[in-house]
Amino acid sequence: MATPLLELRHITKAFGPKVANDDISLSVLPGRIHALVGENGAGKTTLMTMIAGTAQPDSGSILFDGRDVRITSPQKASALGIGMVHQHFKLVPSLTVAANVFLGRELRSKGGTLDAKRMEAEVATLSQRFGLEIDPQAKVSTLSVGLRQRVEVLKALSHDTRLLILDEPTAVLTPGESEEMFAVIRSLAQKGCAVLFISHKLGEVLEIADTITVIRDGQSIDTRPAAGLSQADIAQMMVGREVLLRIAHTPAKPGDTVLGVDNLTVVDDRGVTVIDGLSLQVRAGEIVGIAGVEGNGQSELAAAVAGMQGIDAGRIALAGKDVSGATVAARRAAGLAYIPEDRHEVGTGPSLSVTENLIPTHLTAPIAKHGWISGSRANAFARRMIANFDVRGAQPSTPIQTLSGGNIQKVVIAREFESDPKLLMVSQPTRGVDVGAMEFVHNAIVSQRDQGAGVLLLSADLNEVMSLSDRLLVMFRGRIVAEFTQENMSEAAVGLAMAGIAPDPQDMARAEASHAAIAAERAQADAAATAALAAGGDAPAAPHEAAPAEQAPESLQQRLARAGGAALRGSAQPVMAIVLSLLIGAIVILALGQNPIAAYNELFFSNFRAPFGVASLISQFIPLAVLSAAVIISFRAGFFNIGGEGQLFIGAFCGAWAGFTFTDLPAPLLTVLMMVCGMLGAMIWGAIPGALLAFWRVDIIVTTLMMSTIATLLTAYLVTGPFRDPGAGLAASPKILPGARLPMFSAPYGLGMDLVVALLIVVALGLVLTRSVWGLRVRQLGEMNRFAEYTGVNPKMMSIQVMAISGAVAGLAGTLFVLGPNGGRFLQTFSPGYGFLGITVALLARLNPWAAVLAAAFYANMMAGSNAMQINTSVPFPLVNVLQGLIILSITAVFLVDRRTRDRILAMLPGRRRAAVATAGAGSAAVDAAPHKEPVLAGSPSGATPPDPGGTPPTSHRGADAESRGDL
């Protein structure tokens, strides 16, 4: 018997209480194609990531070439000869094919410069060697999905690969491209390369594999030779019950037209006509399928119908109403439900919870009333959807990106089906989905049809679209070139039409004869079953799985325990950052020849020894708390707004202007007018960058910084020119009426109405962000993908609103200074950089509006105590600025700590593994996913990667769940 190239012995991997792989053993022989199959969430991808070096097992061993190895990184895997092609492409669209293949290990000339010619030549050689023809100089962004898959394979094969792992390699390929891929795989196996092949397409598994291993719920069920197995055998092993692999088609009962597309034309950004005079109709109670090779306009058609793609000519009618120029929200209100092909970039907000992904299109009573969301009712709705649609491993608060692909798809389906649509548009419904979930999705689509919805189905899976469609339309180069019914469609005829070749009458006749034969066989089988039943036999039982019970609501104790745990997890990193910064600061103090303990004692505790210290702390706290709230609004929406300082100045001046101008008004009314003017002035100042971003995509970082500089210069001119107070020793405006200033409760301690107003502002904004419909839309926008637009949010209007409200709040902070005990007028020097300090406070609080109060108090205490530290310990007060900078740097460093390192440390703690296995045995679902990543940059929205210069940041990856952020 041949010696295995790869052996896995008793591999176990748990993520917290969830065991993804439980005591799995596996052997892979050289020159053989070994398939790994299982449901979504079974643990396949997790197992492969440990072989590829991106995750580490908790226990067990990996042997390669008979030697025990620790594959601690992808580089170590590459050095061993292990290459992996991931299900989701890991390519840089703006780079060429050659640059992507050699990314991270670029070839260089003798002078140290990149040797692009040599890399292109190497890629050309590789493509010829493996039969994967591609242009090395082509930019990846210009390639089709199939060609991008080739780039991924070439990248994996460029390391002298001996073991190739293919995770869903044909999920996005056409049948022809899949055949080309299989030819390459067989060629590799003939040359001695071992191949691990993961796929949900069981026909492909049987076609390509020599050996098949089935995994279910994290455990290896069986390993068998592919010869002699059927798709039904594999499916039953995967899910533990009989699965209907092809749905039995029942006749449609079409009614009125629900979708009419007339002479539709769409020209893309390149000036290419992708939809060319297309017309179609979908009636209630029927499924109309769209078949075609990807890239022939199907995606653009779906986007145009949904309102996410502009049209150049033609008309779209929904339920008899012309919606050609209507918004996404208007089309949804007219009865459209849409399941998009990309569930990650369009269909969900990855870092939002399951609840926050389910409710955006259901924000009516009882979930939401008068713009406010009921957290308990939203979670009850989510629990019902999780139960009804069997979303495994999910709780309402679970971040959706931690679920497997099939369960994410179920969440999308649950949300769209619950709207009781007139038109259900479904694009690629089972891409990357296992057979169990596939059966569920197919039955759900037919169920919607039978309930009277019209269904427009777009799928690259020819078997799927032929099986489900009552009428099948074939698209080629943006046009409908053929139409079939269940009576005359065949794979050969449809395949010809997909290539732009009209099937001849003989093809149609053969298809009709074949369908007639199948119908006769089915009628004969039904007659036999009826006769058996009449003779006293039992009716054959249809495969059935009991619907899962709806989750019970959490008790108060459970909610408090979960919230407490989330708060502890959310505070761990900021606390670590502060401790690290103070340690570095202590070294600096020692270098100055001073005692760090004495210095820190003065810095943090001197304020509480006298009323003046408390008053100083409060005066610093008020602007920091309000400005951090303003920053959190914009950062939650994904906008790196660094213009708070300018908005603060404009608000302070506008408020002061109202105060010294309208002196005839009653004092209370004048106070209110000052606040309104301060808010309006700063609101306009903040809305300008929002509008520039929304309509012209101007860099929001540049515009906010520019507007901030203009504001400080403008106010300096005004208070040294037209509105200068000659009696003031500094650049200042005239005084406001004393009666208009906010009252004080305790002047020695600095306790006054300005503190109350500041706290009310922070609490109100916290509630708006976490409990209101508008706040949910802000968080959707902050996902940095098209999820907000897809659910009906207008991104342009929201961008302007977010920046305007963020500016208004910053302006109110400035007005509070003028109305407070230290103000009475606008002073050009009143701010020591509060606008920028507010950013550091928000980041320290991890954009949690409630935690920002504590973070603002911490910073204010440091700033107020700096003078006492300098006077009593001779440590200069600028040390506080050093500590503030160190805290930001430390937060970034803590966020960048490798999660795998922390997992390994936690794995060594006694009882962790035993607790995980015990919990899994009690019924917790395993998750087929890598651990949830922590944010990678403190200086970006919610710990996300920073926005691009155009103000449209990439997908965020928040590290905290909904509770630790203060969300639903």
Side-chain angles (χ1 to χ4, degrees):
M1 181 178 177
T3 302
L5 177 66
L6 173 74
E7 283 188 85
L8 306 180
R9 294 182 179 176
H10 309 291
I11 295 293
T12 296
K13 179 66 177 178
F15 300 125
K18 298 178 181 179
V19 181
N21 298 135
D22 190 3
D23 196 31
I24 289 182
S25 296
L26 181 70
S27 295
V28 181
L29 299 175
R32 306 283 286 179
I33 301 171
H34 194 124
L36 195 66
V37 297
E39 290 186 276
N40 292 114
K44 307 181 299 297
T45 299
T46 298
L47 193 63
M48 295 303 101
T49 58
M50 287 185 280
I51 301 171
T54 55
Q56 302 298 308
D58 295 334
S59 62
S61 57
I62 300 175
L63 279 71
F64 197 82
D65 259 346
R67 294 184 297 110
D68 196 335
V69 295
R70 290 190 71 248
I71 308 176
T72 55
S73 68
Q75 291 75 19
K76 182 75 176 288
S78 297
L80 290 171
I82 299 172
M84 182 169 179
V85 177
H86 296 269
Q87 178 179 356
H88 301 292
F89 298 155
K90 298 182 180 295
L91 302 173
V92 181
S94 60
L95 297 181
T96 65
V97 170
N100 270 280
V101 170
F102 284 95
L103 190 63
R105 52 189 187 89
E106 289 81 1
L107 302 182
R108 297 184 180 275
S109 65
K110 292 180 180 180
T113 59
L114 287 178
D115 195 340
K117 295 295 183 184
R118 188 172 152 209
M119 288 190 290
E120 290 166 5
E122 291 279 353
V123 170
T125 301
L126 279 172
S127 64
Q128 291 176 2
R129 176 181 169 191
F130 295 109
L132 294 168
E133 294 183 7
I134 198 163
D135 179 6
Q137 297 179 338
K139 279 193 176 182
V140 166
S141 60
T142 66
L143 302 180
S144 68
V145 174
L147 289 177
R148 292 188 192 195
Q149 185 71 284
R150 291 188 183 188
V151 179
E152 282 281 12
V153 174
L154 284 174
K155 189 175 179 180
L157 295 174
S158 64
H159 300 273
D160 295 324
T161 302
R162 301 175 62 200
L163 171 66
L164 179 62
I165 303 170
L166 299 168
D167 190 0
E168 295 287 344
T170 64
V172 295
L173 301 185
T174 64
E177 290 170 331
S178 296
E179 285 300 323
E180 293 177 3
M181 177 67 67
F182 286 170
V184 172
I185 294 171
R186 293 189 186 99
S187 173
L188 288 170
Q190 289 170 2
K191 294 173 182 175
C193 181
V195 179
L196 265 169
F197 183 87
I198 302 174
S199 178
H200 290 125
K201 299 179 180 180
L202 301 187
E204 292 184 352
V205 168
L206 290 174
E207 180 182 349
I208 194 70
D210 301 306
T211 307
I212 299 173
T213 294
V214 178
I215 294 180
R216 184 169 75 233
D217 294 333
Q219 296 180 326
S220 178
I221 300 301
D222 202 356
T223 298
R224 297 186 190 178
L229 288 177
S230 67
Q231 293 188 44
D233 295 332
I234 301 172
Q236 189 160 4
M237 285 191 287
M238 285 171 59
V239 301
R241 60 177 175 82
E242 186 179 353
V243 178
L244 293 175
L245 296 175
R246 185 179 176 94
I247 192 166
H249 196 96
T250 55
K253 298 177 181 178
D256 296 334
T257 299
V258 293
L259 173 67
V261 178
D262 297 318
N263 202 30
L264 184 67
T265 298
V266 173
V267 180
D268 68 10
D269 295 337
R270 302 166 299 170
V272 176
T273 301
V274 289
I275 299 179
D276 188 5
L278 181 145
S279 298
L280 63 84
Q281 286 78 38
V282 178
R283 294 169 293 179
E286 73 167 347
I287 299 174
V288 175
I290 302 288
V293 176
E294 286 198 67
N296 277 279
Q298 301 96 312
S299 297
E300 290 81 2
L301 172 62
V305 172
M308 298 176 69
Q309 166 75 56
I311 65 175
D312 294 274
R315 178 178 179 271
I316 300 173
L318 185 59
K321 180 181 179 181
D322 189 344
V323 295
S324 304
T327 63
V328 174
R331 299 182 197 217
R332 284 186 169 275
L336 172 68
Y338 175 33
I339 299 173
E341 64 178 298
D342 193 333
R343 52 181 172 254
H344 298 287
E345 286 300 313
V346 180
T348 59
S351 68
L352 299 180
S353 69
V354 171
T355 296
E356 292 167 322
N357 272 278
L358 283 169
I359 65 173
T361 57
H362 300 280
L363 294 172
T364 55
I367 295 173
K369 291 182 180 180
H370 310 299
W372 293 94
I373 298 172
S374 167
S376 59
R377 289 173 179 170
N379 287 332
F381 174 77
R383 280 191 293 271
R384 179 165 62 85
M385 293 296 97
I386 289 169
N388 290 348
F389 289 82
D390 190 21
V391 184
R392 301 182 184 181
Q395 294 288 335
S397 61
T398 303
I400 198 169
Q401 66 185 359
T402 64
L403 300 180
S404 66
N407 286 306
I408 293 175
Q409 188 78 340
K410 287 180 180 180
V411 172
V412 177
I413 290 170
R415 180 184 63 229
E416 299 304 306
F417 281 17
E418 188 66 13
S419 62
D420 191 22
K422 295 178 181 177
L423 173 68
L424 174 64
M425 185 165 61
V426 187
S427 185
Q428 315 301 338
T430 58
R431 176 171 286 172
V433 169
D434 63 66
V435 291
M438 193 179 298
E439 178 191 31
F440 172 89
V441 172
H442 289 169
N443 284 326
I445 291 171
V446 174
S447 174
Q448 284 293 310
R449 180 203 70 174
D450 292 343
Q451 291 174 34
V455 180
L456 181 62
L457 171 66
L458 301 96
S459 176
D461 187 330
L462 192 54
N463 289 331
E464 176 176 71
V465 76
M466 288 177 62
S467 174
L468 288 170
S469 300
D470 300 304
R471 288 190 295 123
L472 179 61
L473 309 178
V474 179
M475 282 188 71
F476 180 74
R477 295 183 179 176
R479 298 181 178 182
I480 301 296
V481 296
E483 179 173 344
F484 300 90
T485 65
Q486 277 291 321
E487 287 68 34
N488 64 11
M489 73 174 69
S490 70
E491 189 167 332
V494 174
L496 285 171
M498 289 170 64
I501 303 170
D504 58 34
Q506 292 181 347
D507 292 323
M508 303 297 285
R510 281 194 294 268
E512 291 173 358
S514 175
H515 279 278
I518 292 171
E521 290 177 8
R522 187 175 298 163
Q524 187 176 2
D526 290 344
T530 302
L533 185 62
D538 293 331
H544 177 75
E545 187 173 34
E550 184 174 335
Q551 299 173 349
E554 291 178 306
S555 65
L556 178 61
Q557 183 178 0
Q558 289 173 321
R559 291 178 64 186
L560 290 175
R562 178 166 53 80
L568 286 174
R569 290 193 300 274
S571 63
Q573 289 171 332
V575 169
M576 288 173 61
I578 291 172
V579 170
L580 181 60
S581 301
L582 293 179
L583 288 174
I584 298 173
I587 296 172
V588 174
I589 295 171
L590 285 171
L592 295 173
Q594 301 297 323
N595 183 345
I597 295 177
Y600 284 157
N601 180 54
E602 292 295 325
L603 182 64
F604 292 111
F605 301 106
S606 63
N607 296 317
F608 303 102
R609 297 174 188 151
F612 174 81
V614 175
S616 179
L617 188 158
I618 291 174
S619 69
Q620 302 282 3
F621 169 80
I622 291 171
L624 286 178
V626 177
L627 279 163
S628 66
V631 168
I632 288 172
I633 294 171
S634 58
F635 275 32
R636 277 294 189 95
F639 304 137
F640 200 83
N641 173 19
I642 57 175
E645 185 81 354
Q647 295 152 16
L648 175 78
F649 271 67
I650 291 294
F653 178 81
C654 290
W657 172 81
F660 65 70
T661 301
F662 300 98
T663 54
D664 294 336
L665 291 176
L669 184 59
L670 182 57
T671 302
V672 174
L673 179 64
M674 288 177 63
M675 290 188 180
V676 171
C677 287
M679 289 177 63
L680 286 176
M683 176 183 288
I684 295 170
W685 211 256
I688 292 172
L692 291 173
L693 169 67
F695 294 104
W696 294 282
R697 301 191 59 78
V698 182
D699 184 337
I700 203 165
I701 298 176
V702 172
T703 53
T704 52
L705 183 59
M706 177 188 70
M707 294 295 289
S708 186
T709 302
I710 293 172
T712 54
L713 293 174
L714 175 62
T715 54
Y717 163 73
L718 292 173
V719 297
T720 57
F723 299 102
R724 178 175 176 266
D725 182 359
L730 300 172
S733 72
K735 289 184 177 181
I736 65 172
L737 290 177
R741 298 176 69 173
L742 294 172
M744 297 298 295
F745 307 133
S746 174
Y749 285 94
L751 294 173
M753 182 58 71
D754 56 341
L755 175 61
V756 175
V757 173
L759 291 174
L760 288 175
I761 292 169
V762 173
V763 170
L765 287 176
L767 291 173
V768 167
L769 280 173
T770 59
R771 296 294 175 188
S772 74
V773 170
W774 188 82
L776 176 60
R777 289 172 178 165
V778 169
R779 301 199 302 277
Q780 287 181 258
L781 197 64
E783 287 299 288
M784 320 304 169
N785 60 12
R786 301 192 73 183
F787 179 55
E789 180 187 4
Y790 158 75
T791 57
V793 176
N794 186 323
K796 290 184 178 180
M797 292 299 103
M798 279 298 296
S799 299
I800 297 172
Q801 289 176 29
V802 165
M803 291 302 297
I805 291 176
S806 179
V809 175
L812 192 53
T815 307
L816 286 178
F817 168 79
V818 175
L819 291 169
N822 299 317
R825 66 169 86 211
F826 174 85
L827 294 170
Q828 185 66 27
T829 57
F830 82 97
S831 172
Y834 285 131
F836 300 102
L837 289 172
I839 296 175
T840 67
V841 171
L843 295 175
L844 182 61
R846 299 185 67 193
L847 304 190
N848 185 320
W850 314 118
V853 176
L854 297 177
F858 173 78
Y859 264 63
N861 188 40
M862 278 202 308
M863 294 172 67
S866 59
N867 286 328
M869 179 182 66
Q870 176 169 292
I871 293 169
N872 297 324
T873 66
S874 299
V875 175
F877 67 83
L879 177 69
V880 172
N881 301 110
V882 174
L883 289 175
Q884 291 167 352
L886 286 172
I887 288 171
I888 294 302
L889 291 175
S890 300
I891 288 175
T892 304
V894 170
F895 284 167
L896 290 173
V897 169
D898 189 349
R899 177 64 180 265
R900 296 193 303 270
T901 302
R902 281 177 279 153
D903 281 346
R904 287 197 293 271
I905 293 172
L906 291 172
M908 293 186 284
L909 297 178
R912 180 177 182 265
R913 166 66 192 139
R914 291 193 298 272
V917 174
T919 306
S924 67
V927 177
D928 187 7
H932 181 47
K933 298 292 184 184
E934 298 292 352
V936 296
L937 186 67
S940 57
S942 303
T945 50
D948 68 13
T952 309
T955 305
S956 63
H957 300 281
R958 292 186 177 91
D961 60 15
E963 288 75 34
S964 67
R965 298 197 312 275
D967 299 345
L968 295 178

